[in-house]
Amino acid sequence: MKRYGNLYEKIISWDNLLESSKKARMNKRYRPNVAEYERDLEKNLVRLREKLLSRTYRPGPYREKIKGYRRAKPHIVAVGIRHQSTYAGDSVPRRHGERQR
């Protein structure tokens, strides 16, 4: 496995933290918690950097998101019953839009 030297220092650099905050807020800019974090962005990034430096930072719980998956809304499916006449020529009641056979 390849080793990278001074990687932790690159992770906690100010430029990397700013770039990471921009990527994290993509498509979430108008959410209340993101707007609140961004209002005091510099203060929050300084606090985050201090936690990273002291190695006391603990990430929040991981949430899995499956792209393209949307839960179907529950719905009731009605099954229609076709009535067949036993006599030729009898009219068979049909629902609107139903084709004759």
Side-chain angles (χ1 to χ4, degrees):
M1 178 181 256
K2 188 173 181 178
R3 291 186 53 110
Y4 294 93
N6 301 327
L7 185 60
Y8 199 71
E9 285 76 22
K10 292 176 185 177
I11 291 172
I12 62 174
S13 72
W14 186 254
D15 292 335
N16 185 58
L17 291 176
L18 278 174
E19 185 65 29
S20 298
S21 71
K22 286 179 186 177
K23 286 182 180 180
R25 76 172 183 232
M26 259 196 316
N27 299 325
K28 302 176 205 143
R29 188 169 164 193
Y30 298 107
R31 291 185 185 174
N33 58 344
V34 175
E36 182 181 340
Y37 188 87
E38 198 162 295
R39 187 174 40 238
D40 296 323
L41 182 63
E42 188 173 328
K43 180 180 168 185
N44 288 323
L45 289 180
V46 166
R47 192 175 325 139
L48 174 62
R49 189 168 193 274
E50 288 172 356
K51 285 184 177 185
L52 289 168
L53 280 170
S54 64
R55 299 185 187 251
T56 58
Y57 173 75
R58 296 287 176 248
Y62 177 75
R63 293 186 318 209
E64 185 175 349
K65 181 179 178 181
I66 302 171
K67 267 193 161 183
Y69 173 77
R70 186 180 295 180
R71 180 178 289 184
K73 293 181 181 177
H75 59 279
I76 298 172
V77 178
V79 179
I81 301 173
R82 278 189 163 251
H83 298 283
Q84 291 184 344
S85 174
T86 54
Y87 301 104
D90 281 354
S91 63
V92 177
R94 301 189 194 294
R95 286 175 268 151
H96 177 71
E98 189 175 347
R99 294 182 183 170
Q100 276 189 338
R101 282 190 163 174

